[in-house]
Structures are given as C-alpha cells and as structure tokens.
Amino acid sequence: MIAAHDFYENRFAKFWIADGILFFEYKPSTLIDLKVAQLVVTDRIHFQRERAYPILCDLRGVVSIDKASRDYLAQLGSVLATAVGFVVHEKLLLTISTFYLQVNKPSVPTQIFSSEAAALQYLKGVVISK
C-alpha cells in the first residue's frame, strides 16, 4: 500500500487527514469479516506513517460485522488512535456500535454519533486538549 499521503482508498474504505483528524469512511455495502478488518487497519496504520490521530470513523456503509472482526478492531483497531468518533445512521448500526463499546471496550475514548458534525466537535476537543 503506497499512496499519496493526502488520501488513500482500498476496496472497502477510504481515508484522509484534515485539520489534525483522520477521516475513515467505509464504502457502501461493506461486509466486515476478519480479513477485511485486518486489511483496513493495516492500510490505515501505514497511511498514518506512525503518527497518532483522533479518528472519525464513518460506519454508514457497513451492512454487517462478525464477532472476530469486532474483537480484532477493539484491540488492534485502536492502534495510533487517540480517540474515535463513530458516525452511524441506522438503528442496526447504532445497536451494533453500542454493543461493541459495551462488550469489546476499545482501548481509546470512543463515542457514537448520528451526525458527522457532532463527531467532529468531539474529536476537535481531543485535538485541542493535546
């Protein structure tokens, strides 16, 4: 995975950095299994060039995620993340995300939002408090 540092895209997600925040957006109709979770985390870490960021993770394209993936993302998905704001829009994603936070307990501060603006406000607070 070598790409221009401003933006990167693979089969499942795209990400970019703006104003000190890493934006991570899953593509529409994404099914997350362990291989997909491992690929997107590996690509994200390489993209970040060993620098930690607060991450806005847009889950609106996700249609399903299995337990192995949730476990993996809760542990290694937080590498080089200072905080995470999940953006969801459907009741199912809200339920899955809430379950993820309660059961998998991510290692960095993580909250769920129904709008990108609310998630950005949360993450900008993290950037300012550094």
Side-chain angles (χ1 to χ4, degrees), residues 60 86-90 94 111-119:
R60 293 178 284 191
F86 288 132
V87 178
V88 301
H89 69 77
E90 296 178 12
L94 179 59
Q111 292 190 25
I112 303 166
F113 302 92
S114 59
S115 76
E116 187 174 310

Side-chain angles (χ1 to χ4, degrees), residues 17-126:
I17 298 167
D19 298 325
I21 296 172
L22 186 138
F23 290 78
F24 184 100
E25 181 180 314
Y26 282 98
K27 292 183 177 179
S29 304
T30 299
L31 307 170
I32 302 176
D33 61 16
L34 185 56
K35 287 185 178 184
V36 170
Q38 291 169 331
L39 174 71
V40 296
V41 169
T42 298
D43 283 358
R44 178 186 58 77
I45 289 169
H46 282 101
F47 179 76
Q48 288 179 244
R49 297 183 181 172
E50 299 183 27
R51 189 160 173 229
Y53 290 93
I55 298 173
L56 187 147
C57 183
D58 190 335
L59 296 169
R60 293 178 284 191
V62 175
V63 294
S64 73
I65 181 169
D66 63 19
K67 183 183 181 332
S69 301
R70 288 192 310 269
D71 292 344
Y72 177 83
L73 291 169
Q75 294 173 11
L76 297 174
S78 297
V79 170
L80 293 180
T82 58
V84 177
F86 288 132
V87 178
V88 301
H89 69 77
E90 296 178 12
K91 283 187 176 184
L92 176 62
L93 279 177
L94 179 59
T95 301
I96 290 169
S97 300
T98 302
F99 180 81
Y100 168 80
L101 291 181
Q102 292 173 349
V103 174
N104 297 96
K105 300 185 186 343
S107 60
V108 298
T110 303
Q111 292 190 25
I112 303 166
F113 302 92
S114 59
S115 76
E116 187 174 310
L120 279 173
Q121 183 176 7
Y122 164 71
L123 293 171
K124 285 181 181 177
V126 172

